[in-house]
Amino acid sequence: LKANRNKAFEDFEAVAEDLLKRRVTSRAMLAVEGGSNGGLLVGNMLVREKRELLGAVVCQVPLLDMKRYSQLLAGASWMGEYGDPSTSDWDQFLHQYSPYHLLKEDSTYPAALFMTSTRDDRVHPGHARKMVAKLLEHPTAKENTFYYENIEGGHGVAADNKQRAFMQVVRFAFLWRTLMNEKL
């Protein structure tokens, strides 16, 4: 995909626009969720120009810092798919879909929940930690940014069914309160 990865984001936006156009849902009720590479997808939905389509974002074990991903855990093995940020790939296309680097202070962002695992052996939890830290410093995003890091588990975020159920409750509670406009 490399330089063509933006097509996935454009397709995702087109689906969201169609759902709204056909009145299947409303912006206030439209949430997106993704983990791992899907975390990169929804991380981009959070920062792209059409983010106003969304009521909420759930971003799990995400890949968000495309400038440094290749230096963390299994990241170096993904350069064939994403590109090499230490080469001209960064300037040519990688910077265009690095959510961490696309956050802007003069923009507003939908409510977001980031979930990760301390023991993730694929996508370093530093991706989610850094993004949340940046959002918590943002003048408008800080009130609507939430974070949960499980100290067990792995890339699947949970170590067992009890933890998996708990993570589902955290996710659904966030979505319920955000989309139903209730304070967390």
Side-chain angles (χ1 to χ4, degrees), residues 52-108:
E52 76 278 353
L53 298 171
L54 306 175
V57 174
V58 177
C59 193
Q60 300 172 316
V61 292
L63 184 59
L64 299 167
D65 178 354
M66 300 308 290
K67 180 102 174 146
R68 293 172 194 82
Y69 83 91
S70 61
Q71 300 168 15
L72 302 169
L73 299 176
S77 67
W78 307 329
M79 287 193 291
E81 179 178 354
Y82 297 111
D84 184 347
S86 66
T87 69
S88 61
D89 289 355
W90 175 255
D91 292 323
Q92 289 178 7
F93 56 87
L94 268 170
H95 76 280
Q96 296 172 10
Y97 60 84
S98 182
Y100 179 76
H101 296 93
L102 294 174
L103 283 171
K104 298 175 186 164
E105 206 162 302
D106 62 346
S107 297
T108 56

Side-chain angles (χ1 to χ4, degrees), residues 130-150:
K130 286 172 53 172
M131 186 75 159
V132 168
K134 204 168 183 180
L135 284 163
L136 290 175
E137 291 177 1
H138 189 276
T140 61
K142 61 185 169 189
E143 300 300 321
N144 294 313
T145 299
F146 302 91
Y147 179 76
Y148 184 81
E149 183 170 329
N150 190 5

Side-chain angles (χ1 to χ4, degrees), residues 106-174:
D106 62 346
S107 297
T108 56
Y109 297 99
L113 169 64
F114 292 84
M115 302 175 82
T116 192
S117 171
T118 306
R119 295 187 182 177
D120 189 336
D121 61 350
R122 294 184 207 161
V123 179
H124 196 284
H127 286 276
R129 291 172 187 159
K130 286 172 53 172
M131 186 75 159
V132 168
K134 204 168 183 180
L135 284 163
L136 290 175
E137 291 177 1
H138 189 276
T140 61
K142 61 185 169 189
E143 300 300 321
N144 294 313
T145 299
F146 302 91
Y147 179 76
Y148 184 81
E149 183 170 329
N150 190 5
I151 60 170
E152 296 180 286
H155 195 57
V157 185
D160 56 32
N161 287 335
K162 183 177 179 182
Q163 286 181 6
R164 204 169 281 94
F166 176 77
M167 300 300 275
Q168 292 280 54
V169 168
V170 170
R171 229 176 72 240
F172 287 131
F174 164 76

